[in-house]
Amino acid sequence: MTNPNPTHETALAFHALHIPGRPLVLPNAWDTASARLVEEAGAAAVATTSAGLAWDLGTADGDRLDGDRALGALARVAAAVRVPVSADIESGYAKDAAGVGDTIRAVLVAGAVGVNIEDALYDGEGAGDGGPLRLVAEQAERIAAARAAADAAGVPLFINARIDTVLRGAGGVEETLERAAAFLAAGADGIFVPGAVDPGTVKSLVAGVEGPLNVLVGPGAPSVAELAALGVARISTGSSIAQAAHAVVRRAARELLSAGTYDSLTGGLDYAELNTLLGGAR
């Protein structure tokens, strides 16, 4: 059965998946096919990757994707799976806090019960005193607008506040914790710190953040078991699965067009299995 409108119970169930030491593991999806495959693999929820989604729609990542197109893709993903869906909405597809509230209302209509909202600034926005990140007060206002919009709709949306201090070299643990405290006070439910995989750093963040901590993983990062032992509550792959999938496309195309061989296609999914999985009703 599809879930065209998120329910209070579905949102609460998604909240309950964030357990320090027993993390929610999210192999991020970017379209209906990847979402179905992630669900079929046993994921308790599906989360989108903004980069993978933007690339799928022919746009670069980094607040360049039109919000309406992103929300249309989100609606298709949410309709394709039975498990809860969380949407990576970049900076909220809006210039100001009121616009973020509008985006949240559209996210709920699309069928998601969670969102990531990041504090990074991109080309053309103007960094100001916040450097490569939004000023704390401005970002807190945007998160508060998201919280108010969800509360008004009666949905306990899980707001995951992404903090890019580590990823952008804009601060260490102290700066990250200051932002985390402000964003949680503004209405965020969890904190996402991509780039923080060093065990010592993760341990300090787990101890200092008064909410579930989400980290980003990929090749070279500690294992799920190791991160669980540190108290992490959510683990995401971000764009890395999309990157790996696109690497197969390029490798296979280059091999076919140069050597005229097809070895890169070895290990592909069975046609009938994939056709059945993706063609079945939800």
Side-chain angles (χ1 to χ4, degrees):
M1 180 178 180
T2 59
N3 180 25
N5 294 299
T7 64
H8 188 274
E9 292 73 20
T10 302
L12 288 179
F14 184 63
H15 273 261
L17 295 172
H18 296 76
I19 304 172
R22 290 174 51 197
L24 169 63
V25 180
L26 296 169
N28 294 81
W30 61 94
D31 61 8
T32 56
S34 58
R36 282 273 187 98
L37 288 166
V38 165
E39 180 186 41
E40 189 266 345
V46 167
T48 62
T49 158
S50 67
L53 192 150
W55 298 334
D56 185 57
L57 296 176
T59 304
D61 189 30
D63 275 349
R64 293 175 175 86
L65 180 61
D66 175 77
D68 289 340
R69 296 180 70 207
L71 291 163
L74 171 63
R76 291 190 291 274
V77 167
V81 297
R82 296 188 180 96
V83 296
V85 172
S86 182
D88 184 342
I89 59 170
E90 303 190 56
S91 296
Y93 303 123
K95 293 293 185 182
D96 56 23
V100 173
D102 292 337
T103 296
I104 293 302
R105 284 184 278 273
V107 163
L108 297 175
V109 171
V113 293
V115 291
N116 285 1
I117 304 177
E118 63 189 68
D119 62 357
L121 285 166
Y122 292 94
D123 295 343
E125 292 188 277
D129 294 335
L133 307 181
R134 291 186 188 277
L135 295 173
V136 173
E138 180 188 359
Q139 184 66 4
E141 183 182 8
R142 294 167 76 88
I143 290 171
R147 178 82 281 148
D151 288 349
V155 179
L157 181 77
F158 190 100
I159 300 175
N160 202 29
R162 174 173 150 174
I163 300 175
D164 277 1
T165 43
V166 178
L167 191 64
R168 290 194 158 209
V173 171
E174 183 178 348
E175 293 81 3
T176 304
L177 292 178
E178 289 175 359
R179 283 181 171 263
F183 299 162
L184 289 168
D189 299 287
I191 298 297
F192 180 25
V193 188
V197 290
D198 171 75
T201 300
V202 172
K203 186 175 181 180
S204 295
L205 292 173
V206 167
V209 172
E210 295 294 328
L213 180 69
N214 182 186
V215 298
L216 181 70
V217 297
S223 68
V224 168
E226 290 170 318
L227 291 169
L230 293 171
V232 170
R234 177 166 166 172
I235 296 172
S236 306
T237 57
S239 63
S240 59
I241 296 177
Q243 289 172 250
H246 296 320
V248 173
V249 176
R250 182 167 71 176
R251 189 163 56 246
R254 287 179 172 177
E255 180 191 355
L256 178 63
L257 295 171
S258 59
T261 54
Y262 331 105
D263 293 341
S264 297
L265 300 176
T266 302
L269 290 174
D270 178 76
Y271 172 88
E273 178 188 5
L274 193 58
N275 204 44
T276 299
L277 174 65
L278 300 181
R282 276 293 185 272

mmCIF file of all heavy atoms in Angstrom, residues 27-46 77 80-83 241 245 268-271 273-279 282:
data_model
loop_
_atom_site.group_PDB
_atom_site.id
_atom_site.type_symbol
_atom_site.label_atom_id
_atom_site.label_comp_id
_atom_site.label_asym_id
_atom_site.label_seq_id
_atom_site.Cartn_x
_atom_site.Cartn_y
_atom_site.Cartn_z
ATOM 1 N N PRO A 27 21.213 3.276 3.085
ATOM 2 C CA PRO A 27 21.868 3.286 1.770
ATOM 3 C C PRO A 27 21.081 4.247 0.870
ATOM 4 O O PRO A 27 20.040 3.882 0.345
ATOM 5 C CB PRO A 27 21.739 1.836 1.289
ATOM 6 C CG PRO A 27 21.171 1.059 2.459
ATOM 7 C CD PRO A 27 20.426 2.058 3.282
ATOM 8 N N ASN A 28 21.556 5.469 0.736
ATOM 9 C CA ASN A 28 20.749 6.525 0.113
ATOM 10 C C ASN A 28 20.370 6.237 -1.335
ATOM 11 O O ASN A 28 21.190 5.775 -2.131
ATOM 12 C CB ASN A 28 21.474 7.857 0.193
ATOM 13 C CG ASN A 28 21.618 8.331 1.622
ATOM 14 O OD1 ASN A 28 22.515 7.894 2.330
ATOM 15 N ND2 ASN A 28 20.733 9.200 2.059
ATOM 16 N N ALA A 29 19.127 6.570 -1.665
ATOM 17 C CA ALA A 29 18.564 6.341 -3.000
ATOM 18 C C ALA A 29 18.393 7.674 -3.716
ATOM 19 O O ALA A 29 18.415 8.746 -3.102
ATOM 20 C CB ALA A 29 17.224 5.632 -2.879
ATOM 21 N N TRP A 30 18.192 7.605 -5.033
ATOM 22 C CA TRP A 30 18.039 8.837 -5.816
ATOM 23 C C TRP A 30 16.903 8.769 -6.835
ATOM 24 O O TRP A 30 16.590 9.764 -7.476
ATOM 25 C CB TRP A 30 19.342 9.187 -6.532
ATOM 26 C CG TRP A 30 19.808 8.146 -7.515
ATOM 27 C CD1 TRP A 30 19.560 8.115 -8.866
ATOM 28 C CD2 TRP A 30 20.587 6.993 -7.232
ATOM 29 N NE1 TRP A 30 20.139 7.008 -9.437
ATOM 30 C CE2 TRP A 30 20.788 6.295 -8.440
ATOM 31 C CE3 TRP A 30 21.152 6.464 -6.059
ATOM 32 C CZ2 TRP A 30 21.510 5.108 -8.518
ATOM 33 C CZ3 TRP A 30 21.879 5.284 -6.133
ATOM 34 C CH2 TRP A 30 22.040 4.627 -7.357
ATOM 35 N N ASP A 31 16.279 7.606 -6.990
ATOM 36 C CA ASP A 31 15.141 7.472 -7.906
ATOM 37 C C ASP A 31 14.305 6.293 -7.452
ATOM 38 O O ASP A 31 14.613 5.644 -6.449
ATOM 39 C CB ASP A 31 15.607 7.323 -9.363
ATOM 40 C CG ASP A 31 16.478 6.089 -9.588
ATOM 41 O OD1 ASP A 31 16.612 5.244 -8.673
ATOM 42 O OD2 ASP A 31 17.036 5.962 -10.696
ATOM 43 N N THR A 32 13.232 5.994 -8.190
ATOM 44 C CA THR A 32 12.338 4.924 -7.746
ATOM 45 C C THR A 32 13.013 3.561 -7.780
ATOM 46 O O THR A 32 12.781 2.731 -6.899
ATOM 47 C CB THR A 32 11.063 4.894 -8.600
ATOM 48 O OG1 THR A 32 11.404 4.770 -9.980
ATOM 49 C CG2 THR A 32 10.253 6.165 -8.399
ATOM 50 N N ALA A 33 13.855 3.323 -8.784
ATOM 51 C CA ALA A 33 14.511 2.023 -8.878
ATOM 52 C C ALA A 33 15.451 1.803 -7.697
ATOM 53 O O ALA A 33 15.422 0.754 -7.049
ATOM 54 C CB ALA A 33 15.280 1.908 -10.199
ATOM 55 N N SER A 34 16.293 2.790 -7.418
ATOM 56 C CA SER A 34 17.227 2.624 -6.295
ATOM 57 C C SER A 34 16.472 2.542 -4.971
ATOM 58 O O SER A 34 16.864 1.795 -4.070
ATOM 59 C CB SER A 34 18.254 3.762 -6.276
ATOM 60 O OG SER A 34 17.633 5.025 -6.179
ATOM 61 N N ALA A 35 15.363 3.268 -4.845
ATOM 62 C CA ALA A 35 14.573 3.207 -3.616
ATOM 63 C C ALA A 35 13.984 1.813 -3.413
ATOM 64 O O ALA A 35 14.016 1.266 -2.301
ATOM 65 C CB ALA A 35 13.463 4.251 -3.659
ATOM 66 N N ARG A 36 13.452 1.231 -4.462
ATOM 67 C CA ARG A 36 12.890 -0.117 -4.357
ATOM 68 C C ARG A 36 13.976 -1.129 -3.999
ATOM 69 O O ARG A 36 13.768 -2.042 -3.196
ATOM 70 C CB ARG A 36 12.257 -0.522 -5.687
ATOM 71 C CG ARG A 36 10.890 0.092 -5.966
ATOM 72 C CD ARG A 36 9.758 -0.760 -5.354
ATOM 73 N NE ARG A 36 8.472 -0.248 -5.766
ATOM 74 C CZ ARG A 36 7.743 -0.742 -6.763
ATOM 75 N NH1 ARG A 36 8.198 -1.779 -7.452
ATOM 76 N NH2 ARG A 36 6.584 -0.225 -7.064
ATOM 77 N N LEU A 37 15.147 -0.982 -4.605
ATOM 78 C CA LEU A 37 16.247 -1.911 -4.329
ATOM 79 C C LEU A 37 16.727 -1.787 -2.886
ATOM 80 O O LEU A 37 17.041 -2.789 -2.239
ATOM 81 C CB LEU A 37 17.399 -1.663 -5.303
ATOM 82 C CG LEU A 37 17.135 -2.114 -6.743
ATOM 83 C CD1 LEU A 37 18.177 -1.534 -7.684
ATOM 84 C CD2 LEU A 37 17.115 -3.641 -6.828
ATOM 85 N N VAL A 38 16.779 -0.567 -2.383
ATOM 86 C CA VAL A 38 17.185 -0.351 -0.994
ATOM 87 C C VAL A 38 16.162 -0.974 -0.051
ATOM 88 O O VAL A 38 16.516 -1.655 0.925
ATOM 89 C CB VAL A 38 17.340 1.162 -0.720
ATOM 90 C CG1 VAL A 38 17.404 1.443 0.780
ATOM 91 C CG2 VAL A 38 18.585 1.701 -1.419
ATOM 92 N N GLU A 39 14.889 -0.773 -0.330
ATOM 93 C CA GLU A 39 13.842 -1.373 0.493
ATOM 94 C C GLU A 39 13.919 -2.897 0.434
ATOM 95 O O GLU A 39 13.836 -3.573 1.475
ATOM 96 C CB GLU A 39 12.472 -0.894 0.014
ATOM 97 C CG GLU A 39 11.315 -1.475 0.813
ATOM 98 C CD GLU A 39 9.965 -1.104 0.229
ATOM 99 O OE1 GLU A 39 9.833 -1.126 -1.027
ATOM 100 O OE2 GLU A 39 9.037 -0.813 1.001
ATOM 101 N N GLU A 40 14.095 -3.440 -0.774
ATOM 102 C CA GLU A 40 14.153 -4.896 -0.949
ATOM 103 C C GLU A 40 15.348 -5.500 -0.222
ATOM 104 O O GLU A 40 15.297 -6.642 0.249
ATOM 105 C CB GLU A 40 14.216 -5.215 -2.447
ATOM 106 C CG GLU A 40 14.064 -6.675 -2.799
ATOM 107 C CD GLU A 40 15.416 -7.386 -2.935
ATOM 108 O OE1 GLU A 40 16.449 -6.691 -3.041
ATOM 109 O OE2 GLU A 40 15.424 -8.632 -2.920
ATOM 110 N N ALA A 41 16.422 -4.732 -0.076
ATOM 111 C CA ALA A 41 17.611 -5.220 0.634
ATOM 112 C C ALA A 41 17.395 -5.302 2.133
ATOM 113 O O ALA A 41 18.195 -5.910 2.846
ATOM 114 C CB ALA A 41 18.801 -4.310 0.322
ATOM 115 N N GLY A 42 16.315 -4.699 2.625
ATOM 116 C CA GLY A 42 15.994 -4.792 4.041
ATOM 117 C C GLY A 42 16.107 -3.509 4.833
ATOM 118 O O GLY A 42 16.014 -3.540 6.071
ATOM 119 N N ALA A 43 16.295 -2.371 4.168
ATOM 120 C CA ALA A 43 16.406 -1.106 4.883
ATOM 121 C C ALA A 43 15.100 -0.772 5.595
ATOM 122 O O ALA A 43 14.013 -0.972 5.052
ATOM 123 C CB ALA A 43 16.781 0.017 3.928
ATOM 124 N N ALA A 44 15.223 -0.235 6.798
ATOM 125 C CA ALA A 44 14.043 0.121 7.585
ATOM 126 C C ALA A 44 13.406 1.412 7.099
ATOM 127 O O ALA A 44 12.261 1.716 7.444
ATOM 128 C CB ALA A 44 14.418 0.251 9.054
ATOM 129 N N ALA A 45 14.144 2.183 6.333
ATOM 130 C CA ALA A 45 13.653 3.440 5.773
ATOM 131 C C ALA A 45 14.452 3.735 4.514
ATOM 132 O O ALA A 45 15.510 3.138 4.282
ATOM 133 C CB ALA A 45 13.799 4.578 6.784
ATOM 134 N N VAL A 46 13.945 4.653 3.722
ATOM 135 C CA VAL A 46 14.647 5.110 2.521
ATOM 136 C C VAL A 46 14.923 6.598 2.676
ATOM 137 O O VAL A 46 14.022 7.365 3.031
ATOM 138 C CB VAL A 46 13.823 4.861 1.242
ATOM 139 C CG1 VAL A 46 14.405 5.617 0.056
ATOM 140 C CG2 VAL A 46 13.763 3.372 0.938
ATOM 141 N N VAL A 77 9.471 8.663 -5.353
ATOM 142 C CA VAL A 77 10.185 7.742 -4.459
ATOM 143 C C VAL A 77 9.270 7.294 -3.324
ATOM 144 O O VAL A 77 9.176 6.103 -3.005
ATOM 145 C CB VAL A 77 11.457 8.413 -3.895
ATOM 146 C CG1 VAL A 77 12.028 7.598 -2.731
ATOM 147 C CG2 VAL A 77 12.517 8.560 -4.978
ATOM 148 N N ALA A 80 6.792 4.758 -4.217
ATOM 149 C CA ALA A 80 7.335 3.484 -4.697
ATOM 150 C C ALA A 80 7.658 2.494 -3.582
ATOM 151 O O ALA A 80 7.879 1.316 -3.852
ATOM 152 C CB ALA A 80 8.606 3.742 -5.521
ATOM 153 N N VAL A 81 7.688 2.966 -2.326
ATOM 154 C CA VAL A 81 8.104 2.093 -1.223
ATOM 155 C C VAL A 81 7.085 2.125 -0.089
ATOM 156 O O VAL A 81 6.251 3.033 0.002
ATOM 157 C CB VAL A 81 9.492 2.512 -0.683
ATOM 158 C CG1 VAL A 81 10.551 2.363 -1.765
ATOM 159 C CG2 VAL A 81 9.487 3.936 -0.142
ATOM 160 N N ARG A 82 7.195 1.125 0.781
ATOM 161 C CA ARG A 82 6.294 1.036 1.931
ATOM 162 C C ARG A 82 6.921 1.613 3.186
ATOM 163 O O ARG A 82 6.220 1.962 4.136
ATOM 164 C CB ARG A 82 5.903 -0.417 2.185
ATOM 165 C CG ARG A 82 5.105 -1.074 1.069
ATOM 166 C CD ARG A 82 4.603 -2.450 1.517
ATOM 167 N NE ARG A 82 3.830 -3.116 0.480
ATOM 168 C CZ ARG A 82 4.322 -3.999 -0.374
ATOM 169 N NH1 ARG A 82 5.619 -4.304 -0.323
ATOM 170 N NH2 ARG A 82 3.557 -4.576 -1.273
ATOM 171 N N VAL A 83 8.247 1.651 3.250
ATOM 172 C CA VAL A 83 8.939 2.107 4.448
ATOM 173 C C VAL A 83 8.937 3.643 4.513
ATOM 174 O O VAL A 83 8.691 4.316 3.507
ATOM 175 C CB VAL A 83 10.387 1.585 4.476
ATOM 176 C CG1 VAL A 83 10.392 0.056 4.566
ATOM 177 C CG2 VAL A 83 11.171 2.064 3.255
ATOM 178 N N ILE A 241 26.705 5.622 -3.265
ATOM 179 C CA ILE A 241 26.146 4.518 -4.052
ATOM 180 C C ILE A 241 25.821 5.007 -5.462
ATOM 181 O O ILE A 241 26.081 4.306 -6.445
ATOM 182 C CB ILE A 241 24.902 3.925 -3.364
ATOM 183 C CG1 ILE A 241 25.292 3.299 -2.021
ATOM 184 C CG2 ILE A 241 24.237 2.884 -4.259
ATOM 185 C CD1 ILE A 241 24.117 2.744 -1.239
ATOM 186 N N ALA A 245 27.348 3.550 -8.944
ATOM 187 C CA ALA A 245 26.499 3.115 -10.051
ATOM 188 C C ALA A 245 26.888 3.818 -11.344
ATOM 189 O O ALA A 245 26.979 3.203 -12.413
ATOM 190 C CB ALA A 245 25.032 3.386 -9.717
ATOM 191 N N GLY A 268 25.783 -8.001 -13.197
ATOM 192 C CA GLY A 268 24.551 -7.222 -13.244
ATOM 193 C C GLY A 268 23.368 -8.003 -12.703
ATOM 194 O O GLY A 268 23.376 -9.241 -12.670
ATOM 195 N N LEU A 269 22.349 -7.282 -12.274
ATOM 196 C CA LEU A 269 21.158 -7.935 -11.752
ATOM 197 C C LEU A 269 20.434 -8.698 -12.854
ATOM 198 O O LEU A 269 20.452 -8.298 -14.025
ATOM 199 C CB LEU A 269 20.209 -6.898 -11.151
ATOM 200 C CG LEU A 269 20.680 -6.245 -9.851
ATOM 201 C CD1 LEU A 269 19.729 -5.128 -9.445
ATOM 202 C CD2 LEU A 269 20.773 -7.269 -8.737
ATOM 203 N N ASP A 270 19.797 -9.788 -12.467
ATOM 204 C CA ASP A 270 19.027 -10.586 -13.412
ATOM 205 C C ASP A 270 17.844 -9.772 -13.940
ATOM 206 O O ASP A 270 17.132 -9.113 -13.174
ATOM 207 C CB ASP A 270 18.518 -11.847 -12.701
ATOM 208 C CG ASP A 270 17.669 -12.710 -13.604
ATOM 209 O OD1 ASP A 270 18.236 -13.389 -14.458
ATOM 210 O OD2 ASP A 270 16.427 -12.668 -13.437
ATOM 211 N N TYR A 271 17.652 -9.812 -15.247
ATOM 212 C CA TYR A 271 16.593 -9.017 -15.885
ATOM 213 C C TYR A 271 15.221 -9.327 -15.301
ATOM 214 O O TYR A 271 14.457 -8.419 -14.940
ATOM 215 C CB TYR A 271 16.596 -9.271 -17.393
ATOM 216 C CG TYR A 271 15.428 -8.643 -18.121
ATOM 217 C CD1 TYR A 271 15.500 -7.340 -18.597
ATOM 218 C CD2 TYR A 271 14.231 -9.353 -18.315
ATOM 219 C CE1 TYR A 271 14.422 -6.748 -19.244
ATOM 220 C CE2 TYR A 271 13.155 -8.766 -18.959
ATOM 221 C CZ TYR A 271 13.260 -7.475 -19.426
ATOM 222 O OH TYR A 271 12.193 -6.897 -20.061
ATOM 223 N N GLU A 273 14.381 -10.738 -12.480
ATOM 224 C CA GLU A 273 14.258 -10.356 -11.058
ATOM 225 C C GLU A 273 14.025 -8.847 -10.936
ATOM 226 O O GLU A 273 13.142 -8.402 -10.194
ATOM 227 C CB GLU A 273 15.536 -10.772 -10.315
ATOM 228 C CG GLU A 273 15.529 -10.365 -8.839
ATOM 229 C CD GLU A 273 16.867 -10.606 -8.154
ATOM 230 O OE1 GLU A 273 17.829 -10.999 -8.849
ATOM 231 O OE2 GLU A 273 16.923 -10.396 -6.936
ATOM 232 N N LEU A 274 14.806 -8.079 -11.668
ATOM 233 C CA LEU A 274 14.677 -6.628 -11.595
ATOM 234 C C LEU A 274 13.343 -6.166 -12.167
ATOM 235 O O LEU A 274 12.686 -5.279 -11.622
ATOM 236 C CB LEU A 274 15.844 -5.993 -12.360
ATOM 237 C CG LEU A 274 16.094 -4.490 -12.158
ATOM 238 C CD1 LEU A 274 16.330 -4.198 -10.675
ATOM 239 C CD2 LEU A 274 17.284 -4.041 -12.983
ATOM 240 N N ASN A 275 12.934 -6.788 -13.256
ATOM 241 C CA ASN A 275 11.671 -6.417 -13.875
ATOM 242 C C ASN A 275 10.483 -6.712 -12.956
ATOM 243 O O ASN A 275 9.541 -5.916 -12.856
ATOM 244 C CB ASN A 275 11.507 -7.158 -15.195
ATOM 245 C CG ASN A 275 10.568 -6.469 -16.165
ATOM 246 O OD1 ASN A 275 10.640 -5.256 -16.330
ATOM 247 N ND2 ASN A 275 9.686 -7.226 -16.793
ATOM 248 N N THR A 276 10.564 -7.828 -12.261
ATOM 249 C CA THR A 276 9.499 -8.191 -11.318
ATOM 250 C C THR A 276 9.461 -7.243 -10.136
ATOM 251 O O THR A 276 8.402 -6.769 -9.721
ATOM 252 C CB THR A 276 9.684 -9.624 -10.833
ATOM 253 O OG1 THR A 276 9.616 -10.525 -11.948
ATOM 254 C CG2 THR A 276 8.617 -10.002 -9.822
ATOM 255 N N LEU A 277 10.648 -6.951 -9.592
ATOM 256 C CA LEU A 277 10.731 -6.071 -8.422
ATOM 257 C C LEU A 277 10.207 -4.688 -8.744
ATOM 258 O O LEU A 277 9.412 -4.113 -8.000
ATOM 259 C CB LEU A 277 12.179 -5.975 -7.935
ATOM 260 C CG LEU A 277 12.435 -4.976 -6.807
ATOM 261 C CD1 LEU A 277 11.712 -5.405 -5.529
ATOM 262 C CD2 LEU A 277 13.927 -4.818 -6.542
ATOM 263 N N LEU A 278 10.649 -4.119 -9.848
ATOM 264 C CA LEU A 278 10.304 -2.738 -10.165
ATOM 265 C C LEU A 278 8.946 -2.610 -10.843
ATOM 266 O O LEU A 278 8.367 -1.523 -10.864
ATOM 267 C CB LEU A 278 11.397 -2.119 -11.040
ATOM 268 C CG LEU A 278 12.783 -2.092 -10.411
ATOM 269 C CD1 LEU A 278 13.784 -1.447 -11.321
ATOM 270 C CD2 LEU A 278 12.743 -1.362 -9.063
ATOM 271 N N GLY A 279 8.428 -3.717 -11.360
ATOM 272 C CA GLY A 279 7.133 -3.669 -12.014
ATOM 273 C C GLY A 279 5.976 -3.981 -11.108
ATOM 274 O O GLY A 279 4.815 -3.789 -11.477
ATOM 275 N N ARG A 282 2.742 -1.268 -5.534
ATOM 276 C CA ARG A 282 3.019 -0.942 -4.142
ATOM 277 C C ARG A 282 1.742 -0.398 -3.499
ATOM 278 O O ARG A 282 0.964 0.280 -4.129
ATOM 279 C CB ARG A 282 4.133 0.125 -4.041
ATOM 280 C CG ARG A 282 5.550 -0.491 -4.100
ATOM 281 C CD ARG A 282 5.794 -1.326 -2.841
ATOM 282 N NE ARG A 282 7.165 -1.838 -2.797
ATOM 283 C CZ ARG A 282 7.573 -2.980 -3.344
ATOM 284 N NH1 ARG A 282 6.704 -3.694 -4.021
ATOM 285 N NH2 ARG A 282 8.802 -3.402 -3.206
#
